[in-house]
Amino acid sequence: MTAITLGIPSKGRLMEATAALLAKAGFSIERLGAERGYRGRLTGIDGIEIAFLSASEIAQNLRDGKIDLGVTGEDLLRETIPPDDPSAELLLRLGFGPADVVVAVPECWLDAATMADLDEIAESFYVRHGRRLRAATKYHNLTRRFFAEKGVTGYRIVESLGATEGAPAAGIAEIVVDITTTGSTLAANHLKILDDGVILKSTAILAGRTASGGDQRVLKLISGLTAAI
């Protein structure tokens, strides 16, 4: 029997919440080798190995077929694997780690409340400055898809390498696409979320390669987690 590989966050609150939910479902994580080793196995279901990875690596490894299942954020899954990609699927929302991916603009932009307003501002911005609005974000694919759906074209993406919400104050960008739980950090940086600017209401999820969805071990894991949520 070929083992199934489950990617689990290697550290932080997402790892702790995942371990707690698995334990509540009657499963447990056993690390192999050193205490901080990056391989392990899931007890309670035979034939499921564990790979400890960062949440972003889990999404990438699912895309590349290097793991069969993974616990990650829905934002990272959808940034890495488009919803229409048949190779992987969202199997279960796990009920923890809620956060929204949003479009935020400076509070002083009094005429900006919606994405339609943003499109008009982008046009006038180009006329005045001879360049497009800059959007700072780590979510390039989510941003492009959402802006295209809303008909906003007069912008360009600026890679966010640090605290995205600080980009406008630093003069790096005019607007941001960022993830937030309460919006307080955005507000502290004098930014407001557009009324229709929620791109994705994310949460921690179990995702898997489509080919593994019918495996009895996967079904047992999903059943146990569903009962524990």
Side-chain angles (χ1 to χ4, degrees), residues 106-216:
E107 289 176 345
C108 61
W109 289 13
L110 301 180
D111 55 348
T114 67
M115 291 296 293
D117 295 334
L118 184 61
D119 186 44
E120 294 180 6
I121 290 171
E123 291 181 5
S124 60
F125 186 91
Y126 186 83
V127 170
R128 292 197 309 272
H129 301 282
R131 62 178 175 85
R132 295 186 174 192
L133 280 177
R134 296 168 296 175
T137 187
K138 300 180 180 76
Y139 297 100
H140 295 203
N141 295 324
L142 283 172
T143 298
R144 290 190 183 103
R145 290 198 295 267
F146 185 73
F147 278 47
E149 290 171 5
K150 297 293 185 179
V152 179
T153 58
Y155 74 99
R156 68 181 179 92
I157 289 175
V158 176
E159 177 66 33
S160 173
L161 300 176
T164 302
E165 66 275 1
I172 297 170
E174 285 70 49
I175 63 176
V176 304
V177 175
D178 201 8
I179 194 161
T180 181
T181 52
T182 65
S184 59
T185 302
L186 292 171
N189 284 274
H190 308 291
L191 299 172
K192 62 181 180 180
I193 301 169
L194 294 178
D195 294 345
D196 58 348
V198 177
I199 296 176
L200 176 68
K201 299 187 77 66
S202 181
T203 187
I205 59 165
L206 175 69
R209 299 287 297 176
T210 303
S212 67
D215 189 289
Q216 290 302 310

Side-chain angles (χ1 to χ4, degrees), residues 1-9 22 28-32 37-53 58 62 66-71 206-207 215 217-218 221:
M1 179 175 62
T2 303
I4 286 175
T5 302
L6 167 65
I8 287 180
L22 285 168
S28 62
I29 299 169
E30 181 181 338
R31 286 186 184 265
L32 301 178
Y38 287 93
R39 303 296 293 187
R41 61 172 169 246
L42 187 69
T43 64
I45 305 177
D46 291 336
I48 295 186
E49 297 180 350
I50 292 174
F52 297 97
L53 303 161
I58 288 170
L62 274 172
K66 295 179 179 178
I67 60 176
D68 304 292
L69 304 169
V71 175
L206 175 69
D215 189 289
R217 293 165 292 181
V218 176
L221 176 61

